[in-house]
Amino acid sequence: MKRLATIVVFFVLIICLDASAQSNDAKMKIFLDNLMKKMTIDEKIGQLNLPGSGDIVTGQAGNSDIGKKIKEGKVGGLFNIKSVAKIKAVQKIAVEESRLHIPMIFGMDVIHGYETVFPIPLGLSCTWDMKAIERSAQIAAQEASADGINWTFSPMVDIARDPRWGRIAEGNGEDAYLGSRIAEAMVRGYQGNDLSKNNTIMACVKHFAMYGAAEAGRDYNTTDMSRVRMYNEYLPPYKAAVDAGAGSIMASFNEVDGIPATASKFLMTDVLRKQWGFKGFVVTDYTGINEMIDHGMGDLQQVSSLALNAGIDMDMVGEGFLTTLQKSLKEGMVTVAQINAACRRILEAKYKLGLFDEPYRYCNEERAKTEIFTDASRKEARAIAAQSFVLLKNNNNILPLKKSGTIALIGPLADNKANMPGTWAVAAKFDKAVTLLQGLKDATGDKATIVVAKGSNLDADERFEKRAGMFGKEFIRDMRPAQEIIDEAVNISKNADVIVAALGESAEMSGECSSRSNIEIPQSQKDLLMALLKTGKPVVVVLFTGRPLALKWENENVPAILNVWFGGSEAGSAIADVLFGDENPSGKLTATFPQNVGQVPLYYNHKNTGRPLGEGKWFEKFKSNFIDVSNDPVYPFGYGLSYSSFIYSDIKLSNTVLNASKNITATIQVTNTSKIDGKEVVQLYTRDLVGSITRPVKELKGFNKIELKAGETKTVTFTISVNDLKFYNSDLKFVAEPGDFKIFIGGNSRDVKEAAFKLL
Ligand code: BGC
């Protein structure tokens, strides 16, 4: 009886919630119908315009070029303006001085935090901790919304298998399943369950689509791939974000099937709206429409009409819509219905954000003073950063270090504030970032002596160093001969107990338009590293990077490597936490580290080919391999060490036969055999042995990050259903095909236990 009552209450609740959603939608429709009746075509086109903001000077916004356009109803929103005062000033013009008083939407690239900066997304993904990732987005939303922002150009969910591509730093690595879970977590974090709350912001999923598959990893380059690859390996994270309710999508710069994404009806209408039921709005990337002139798609009028016809709603920066759509309408290249649809979607977003009720909802000076870069948020950022680091090597347990003796901290990244937050940290206050030197000093106090030297320039080539130090992240160049700089570091290290070498990439060596054809640590730093190793002292490399690097030599020669990506505003403290063992590293790679750039793209979920290399073999003639390098990565997907050590039991399956009505469970015992409490990411993979299309050798299907006390054993259970085995076949039907499967469970994609089952 009690159960029945609970069920009844549950259903009544669902019906009520549904009815209230419907009545909200109905209210919004009536409101927008009324508003749109009053709008001229020019005002509607104005809503589709997201111009570059220029330098908005508080107090003079009204006299600026932008101010004039806002008054004329020619601006739908602005982006990357920082501060409540500035945003309020321009919003005031829209609300008080434009004819219909329509508020603007305010966007920003809040990519991995606002002023409190979290690790770069690639680093965050290595936490495999969805709660932590969601929380980072929530804090970012809290801070951004306190400073006037209500729309973020994040999450970036582009799958990337090519570490030459600098923007691999901004995404979640190479795997579509993990990428999908992260996409959902980010959307939840930003948007919460009510967009109109003043501490949630609208997400913008980017870059739709397949931007990460640019040929040769060269940014903005051509993308071309089969539909089965697209649907199975690249589209899932975008779809997951849409299913999670993301309010907007950003089109990518690249072409797909010979058509720039910005003009792709297939992507923007067929996939996004018809197949996935997306109801939000689509914005171009920066001048994405204008760039189609260089793609060779026509003049500005032509490409603008192509974009609108494809299903683009908002034009970022280029003003192609603003300047040509009226003319195209007269000439029959676009229709009023298309302009209406785009305008309505943008107004709907503003409505959902609560801007029509209260245009200054996100402009609260008090919140701006008290909710940004708080001690509490910084504490969380520090803990999350520590989880993102990946311990790549730790011979003889060099790590954790003791908080005593003398530590020589050497390297161009040892004491550099601006390079800690990483790429795309628009709102970061570099002067407040914690460097590694600061982190070590704070952690040791007067218990240890820390001696410091730069040891080398970031790179021997001054011009390269300039390109790698843009946006206020310049390196002060040491003009002495390289050997003199190294000698100084070696001398300083002579009396040390341990050398911590802070090496790798600068923040701007990855990110947008920072592709590299050489993915090794720059030679100047390698020379330094060799000299440090020659001292015979224990050397720990703290590796800063925004991409997987080719670390074959380092893996063979350096006893300990801790990969710290770019850890955000609290990076230095978090690194110290891990180096000294106050935090036990638990990050696992989400992108494969190759031996050299020639192996790229190298990813764990590849196909078998008709001529696979024999198990354990290095080279076989007429097999799919190279004559000069094995097929192995240096560090595989899912890999990462801990100060603890874990062993896995064999897998126990509840049944070796799975069918549509009955799931199976796979159980495994994981034991922490060490004396240190730790965390382990237990990973589940499957392999479909026979398919109507070829299937990957492994596919991630689940993971569970568990905490194990020293000596503790935990049982981890995964449920496998027929849905987990589905894929898009050559007709692009999402199906599971009966047959034999393998299942693998382990602490990375290479070292796994194995079992078999059948799908009936
Ligand atoms: C990037 C986007 C970004 C936009 C706005 C573009 O160059 O590709 O990711 O959101 O600029 O800043």
Side-chain angles (χ1 to χ4, degrees):
M1 195 60 202
K2 207 168 148 201
R3 205 163 148 234
L4 186 69
T6 316
I7 293 173
V8 170
V9 169
F10 177 74
F11 280 109
V12 169
L13 207 70
I14 296 269
I15 292 165
C16 289
L17 283 175
D18 197 43
S20 110
Q22 274 173 18
S23 76
N24 280 345
D25 282 357
K27 267 196 225 149
M28 176 169 78
K29 186 170 178 311
I30 294 168
F31 178 84
L32 295 182
D33 283 349
N34 271 335
L35 176 61
M36 286 184 68
K37 263 187 220 142
K38 296 183 206 143
M39 293 174 82
T40 63
I41 275 288
D42 277 337
E43 282 164 333
K44 288 176 184 168
I45 294 172
Q47 286 302 308
L48 319 188
N49 191 30
L50 182 69
S53 311
D55 189 21
I56 291 171
V57 182
T58 324
Q60 288 170 28
N63 303 328
S64 64
D65 218 32
I66 253 327
K68 192 165 158 276
K69 279 191 187 142
I70 298 170
K71 276 182 217 164
E72 292 167 359
K74 289 182 176 165
V75 181
L78 292 171
F79 70 102
N80 287 354
I81 308 179
K82 191 166 185 281
S83 90
V84 166
K86 283 185 186 175
I87 289 176
K88 210 168 178 180
V90 277
Q91 186 72 301
K92 200 159 181 273
I93 304 173
V95 173
E96 294 181 14
E97 299 184 52
S98 75
R99 192 179 74 92
L100 291 171
H101 319 292
I102 300 175
M104 294 189 292
I105 185 171
F106 288 91
M108 186 183 269
D109 288 283
V110 182
I111 307 293
H112 48 112
Y114 189 68
E115 281 190 27
T116 303
V117 185
F118 295 88
I120 54 167
L122 184 60
L124 263 182
S125 71
C126 293
T127 64
W128 296 63
D129 183 335
M130 299 308 114
K131 286 239 158 64
I133 291 174
E134 179 174 340
R135 183 72 189 130
S136 76
Q138 220 167 47
I139 293 173
Q142 178 88 26
E143 292 195 0
S145 63
D147 218 10
I149 300 299
N150 43 45
W151 181 32
T152 176
F153 302 143
S154 171
M156 134 98 158
V157 303
D158 305 321
I159 293 297
R161 294 165 163 177
D162 193 331
R164 290 172 297 183
W165 191 50
R167 300 197 85 170
I168 196 170
E170 295 177 51
N172 306 310
E174 71 192 32
D175 185 71
Y177 175 85
L178 179 63
S180 299
R181 302 295 78 77
I182 294 175
E184 293 158 357
M186 293 292 285
V187 171
R188 278 197 306 269
Y190 289 133
Q191 298 194 165
N193 51 16
D194 181 359
L195 265 186
S196 71
K197 281 194 180 150
N198 70 359
N199 63 357
T200 58
I201 60 179
M202 180 173 287
C204 183
V205 182
K206 69 190 190 185
H207 306 82
F208 192 63
M210 275 79 71
Y211 183 34
E215 283 175 5
R218 204 184 75 211
D219 213 355
Y220 320 125
N221 203 5
T222 307
T223 294
D224 200 0
M225 69 173 71
S226 69
R227 287 284 151 94
V228 284
R229 167 162 277 184
M230 204 182 271
Y231 274 77
N232 285 311
E233 300 167 34
Y234 281 80
L235 291 181
Y238 307 104
K239 180 169 189 301
V242 166
D243 289 345
S248 66
I249 300 264
M250 186 185 292
S252 57
F253 286 129
N254 55 286
E255 68 172 66
V256 175
D257 286 347
I259 299 177
T262 312
S264 171
K265 204 173 208 161
F266 162 68
L267 286 176
M268 302 306 160
T269 300
D270 296 348
V271 175
L272 198 54
R273 299 204 182 274
K274 293 192 183 151
Q275 294 172 20
W276 297 354
F278 176 63
K279 295 274 188 295
F281 74 93
V282 184
V283 63
T284 69
D285 201 346
Y286 208 100
T287 59
I289 290 180
N290 315 59
E291 291 172 21
M292 289 199 283
I293 302 171
D294 279 330
H295 272 286
M297 304 296 290
D299 62 13
L300 188 60
Q301 184 187 357
Q302 168 75 4
V303 294
S304 303
S305 69
L306 281 176
L308 191 74
N309 278 305
I312 296 287
D313 303 306
M314 196 175 220
D315 173 6
M316 190 193 287
V317 175
E319 305 211 327
F321 279 178
L322 190 76
T323 54
T324 70
L325 282 189
Q326 250 308 359
K327 187 160 182 272
S328 294
L329 187 61
K330 288 195 188 108
E331 293 171 10
M333 290 163 75
V334 300
T335 65
V336 173
Q338 286 170 326
I339 295 172
N340 278 342
C343 175
R344 182 178 287 268
R345 288 180 191 134
I346 290 159
L347 295 176
E348 278 177 0
K350 294 182 179 182
Y351 187 96
K352 287 180 186 158
L353 286 164
L355 290 169
F356 285 109
D357 274 351
E358 204 189 331
Y360 306 108
R361 171 171 301 231
Y362 304 88
C363 293
N364 177 330
E365 271 98 357
E366 198 42 45
R367 280 191 63 206
K369 273 188 223 136
T370 54
E371 292 183 24
I372 301 174
F373 205 65
T374 61
D375 287 348
S377 301
R378 293 179 62 189
K379 205 167 152 220
E380 289 195 66
R382 175 173 174 170
I384 292 175
Q387 280 211 72
S388 74
F389 304 155
V390 184
L391 183 62
L392 298 175
K393 212 181 155 193
N394 192 20
N395 269 17
N396 304 323
N397 294 332
I398 293 190
L399 291 175
L401 301 177
K402 291 194 193 72
K403 288 181 187 166
S404 61
T406 299
I407 299 169
L409 175 63
I410 310 292
L413 290 150
D415 189 22
N416 188 315
K417 281 176 185 268
N419 276 277
M420 292 302 104
T423 189
W424 270 127
V426 175
K429 295 231 160 110
F430 295 148
D431 59 325
K432 291 189 182 157
V434 184
T435 69
L436 179 50
L437 175 61
Q438 191 59 50
L440 295 186
K441 280 186 177 162
D442 292 346
T444 52
D446 52 14
K447 286 189 232 139
T449 307
I450 296 165
V451 292
V452 199
K454 188 169 177 184
S456 85
N457 284 309
L458 180 75
D459 192 273
D461 180 349
E462 193 171 349
R463 289 159 309 170
F464 177 90
E465 201 167 279
K466 276 225 166 71
R467 292 196 286 271
M470 290 178 155
F471 310 123
K473 298 169 194 169
E474 294 79 19
F475 283 77
I476 300 165
R477 204 158 169 84
D478 192 327
M479 300 309 278
R480 289 175 294 166
Q483 194 55 49
E484 206 177 311
I485 314 175
I486 291 179
D487 290 346
E488 179 188 61
V490 167
N491 273 334
I492 276 185
S493 305
K494 282 209 172 115
N495 298 322
D497 299 294
V498 62
I499 300 174
V500 174
L503 308 177
E505 295 192 323
S506 64
E508 290 304 322
M509 277 169 74
S510 60
E512 186 167 353
C513 196
S514 288
S515 296
R516 292 181 69 195
S517 67
N518 169 355
I519 54 168
E520 296 184 18
I521 295 177
Q523 193 57 46
S524 59
Q525 297 185 55
K526 273 197 174 181
D527 292 343
L528 166 65
L529 182 55
M530 283 179 223
L532 296 176
L533 288 166
K534 271 201 201 125
T535 62
K537 304 269 175 195
V539 174
V540 176
V541 166
V542 171
L543 183 69
F544 292 85
T545 179
R547 56 161 58 78
L549 294 176
L551 298 174
K552 188 169 175 349
W553 184 88
E554 289 78 358
N555 184 50
E556 281 161 9
N557 292 284
V558 183
I561 308 174
L562 179 70
N563 188 349
V564 297
W565 309 110
F566 293 96
S569 41
E570 312 311 308
S573 312
I575 300 170
D577 289 340
V578 172
L579 287 178
F580 293 116
D582 296 322
E583 294 272 358
N584 190 347
S586 62
K588 300 272 191 175
L589 297 178
T590 57
T592 304
F593 275 46
Q595 296 183 60
N596 65 32
V597 76
Q599 288 181 304
V600 166
L602 187 70
Y603 47 94
Y604 86 94
N605 48 353
H606 60 85
K607 302 293 185 70
N608 203 34
T609 81
R611 293 189 176 196
L613 187 63
E615 183 98 17
K617 290 274 169 37
W618 196 101
F619 172 80
E620 286 177 288
K621 194 66 185 168
F622 304 120
K623 296 288 176 160
S624 183
N625 48 211
F626 301 95
I627 59 172
D628 58 354
V629 64
S630 76
N631 283 352
D632 299 326
V634 175
Y635 306 116
F637 176 85
Y639 172 88
L641 304 173
S642 158
Y643 298 151
S644 311
S645 43
F646 304 105
I647 54 164
Y648 284 67
S649 72
D650 286 335
I651 301 173
K652 244 202 227 143
L653 291 181
S654 60
N655 199 331
T656 52
V657 176
L658 167 65
N659 60 40
S661 58
K662 199 157 191 284
N663 299 338
I664 58 173
T665 56
T667 307
I668 199 156
Q669 254 113 37
V670 186
T671 305
N672 179 352
T673 54
S674 73
K675 295 203 169 75
I676 305 172
D677 300 349
K679 290 185 190 151
E680 170 73 333
V681 181
V682 183
Q683 302 158 40
L684 168 80
Y685 300 87
T686 59
R687 177 170 181 184
D688 186 351
L689 289 170
V690 180
S692 60
I693 60 169
T694 60
R695 308 285 295 120
V697 297
K698 264 181 201 141
E699 290 178 278
L700 184 72
K701 296 291 180 183
F703 56 89
N704 194 344
K705 188 165 187 174
I706 55 169
E707 284 192 56
L708 288 167
K709 296 244 168 298
E712 192 186 6
T713 298
K714 268 191 182 159
T715 302
V716 178
T717 302
F718 294 101
T719 303
I720 303 155
S721 77
V722 71
N723 279 335
D724 297 320
L725 306 175
K726 286 188 174 163
F727 63 96
Y728 290 91
N729 67 14
S730 57
D731 296 326
L732 299 182
K733 296 247 154 57
F734 196 51
V735 295
E737 294 177 344
D740 289 323
F741 287 78
K742 276 191 179 168
I743 175 170
F744 312 92
I745 300 180
N748 66 64
S749 62
R750 182 188 56 201
D751 306 310
V752 287
K753 298 287 180 174
E754 190 179 318
F757 69 90
K758 213 182 242 316
L759 172 66
L760 288 185

